[in-house]
Amino acid sequence: MVETREQALDAVFHALADPTRRSILRMLAERPHGLSELAPAFPISAVAVSKHVRTLEAAGLVARQVQGRSHLCRLEPMALLTAHRWLQAYERFWSQRLDALEGLLEEMKRDADPA
Amino acid sequence: MVETREQALDAVFHALADPTRRSILRMLAERPHGLSELAPAFPISAVAVSKHVRTLEAAGLVARQVQGRSHLCRLEPMALLTAHRWLQAYERFWSQRLDALEGLLEEMKRDADPA
DNA sequence: CATTCAAATAACCGAATGGTTTTTTGTCAA
DNA sequence: TTGACAAAAAACCATTCGGTTATTTGAATG
């Protein structure tokens, strides 16, 4: 479904950009859930929840195991690695900022409490 | 603009879910760029690029410094931390998987090359 | 002052998004 | 075999999205 790495990032970030879908992932992180077990947890129709799950599936974040007439969904965590690695490339920028903040705090402490 | 933590995640993940916007961030990671310097790097109109920058700004990923008639954009990396921390909560799931994979590889090596 | 240049604003367009209700399609059980 | 149940599929709707062109605003420059 997803071809290139850029398309994978598109799909994963888009899937994560919705609070209902993030909630679904949180539930699946705890344990696998059937679709009909997932749906009542949200104030929207079961069809809408099913659509969200399909979006998560398309991004590779969720896998579905069909058992008769119930569909068991489980977290597929490796897809999160795509997003994580992209973010890691920027890690040095925010750690730089955090270091600068820490430095400032040290300075303030020294000024407020001169030995 | 962004009120709650959930809204912040919505805005950041949505901003990252577009290849043009990710490219803009990559350029700004290298160094700050004027808007008019940013625009020609993309096969779309300057207005479209300006809109993308506004989306990034709304997510807190980019800050703009107006200097006369040119607008200087720079990366605001702390907003990425929001996304990074959300992903970190799932880190144990994929590292579990990676460990399992590593274990399998070890096993295959042992089987293929019995001492 | 008139011009030029950077950017925003406005108006518009087609496609995608998030939601709905209704209608199939299967599968389990009485 | 006749329901009942789980889920998908279809049709629909309003809003948002990513893009366009044309117009306006505002600062630098001749």
Side-chain angles (χ1 to χ4, degrees):
Chain A
M1 186 144 261
V2 167
E3 304 292 316
T4 70
R5 171 183 158 70
E6 283 295 289
Q7 284 176 329
L9 285 168
D10 288 359
V12 169
F13 281 132
H14 170 249
L16 297 182
D18 180 280
T20 301
R21 288 193 290 262
R22 288 194 304 273
S23 289
I24 292 173
L25 289 182
R26 216 174 306 129
M27 290 179 70
L28 298 186
E30 196 204 317
R31 60 176 177 80
H33 284 70
L35 247 190
S36 57
E37 185 185 10
L38 228 40
F42 300 94
I44 57 180
S45 72
V47 175
V49 171
S50 170
K51 281 188 188 179
H52 280 305
V53 170
R54 288 182 74 80
T55 300
L56 290 166
E57 255 186 304
L61 289 163
V62 161
R64 187 189 305 237
Q65 194 176 343
V66 180
Q67 289 174 342
R69 66 183 163 182
S70 95
H71 293 204
L72 197 67
C73 302
R74 61 176 204 284
L75 184 66
E76 207 58 76
M78 296 310 275
L80 289 171
L81 211 46
T82 317
H84 186 257
R85 274 197 300 246
W86 186 90
L87 280 169
Q88 263 186 331
Y90 292 85
E91 195 153 17
R92 60 187 182 98
F93 292 101
W94 69 66
S95 51
Q96 242 167 248
R97 289 275 182 113
L98 287 176
D99 289 352
L101 265 182
E102 209 177 310
L104 266 181
L105 275 180
E106 280 307 309
E107 214 173 298
M108 286 170 64
K109 227 186 289 181
R110 234 183 304 114
D111 290 0
D113 176 25
Chain B
M1 186 142 262
V2 167
E3 305 292 317
T4 70
R5 174 186 155 68
E6 283 295 288
Q7 285 177 328
L9 285 167
D10 288 358
V12 169
F13 281 133
H14 171 248
L16 298 182
D18 180 280
T20 302
R21 288 194 289 264
R22 288 195 303 272
S23 288
I24 292 174
L25 290 182
R26 214 174 306 130
M27 289 179 71
L28 298 186
E30 196 204 319
R31 62 175 176 79
H33 285 69
L35 248 189
S36 58
E37 185 185 9
L38 228 41
F42 300 94
I44 58 180
S45 72
V47 175
V49 172
S50 171
K51 281 188 187 180
H52 280 305
V53 170
R54 289 182 73 79
T55 300
L56 291 165
E57 256 186 305
L61 290 161
V62 161
R64 187 189 306 237
Q65 195 175 345
V66 180
Q67 290 175 343
R69 67 182 164 186
S70 95
H71 293 203
L72 197 66
C73 302
R74 60 174 204 286
L75 184 65
E76 207 57 74
M78 295 310 275
L80 288 171
L81 211 46
T82 316
H84 186 256
R85 274 197 301 244
W86 186 91
L87 280 169
Q88 263 185 331
Y90 292 85
E91 195 154 20
R92 62 187 179 96
F93 293 101
W94 69 67
S95 52
Q96 241 168 250
R97 289 275 182 113
L98 287 176
D99 289 353
L101 266 182
E102 208 177 309
L104 265 181
L105 275 180
E106 279 308 309
E107 214 174 298
M108 285 170 65
K109 225 187 288 179
R110 232 183 306 116
D111 289 0
D113 177 23

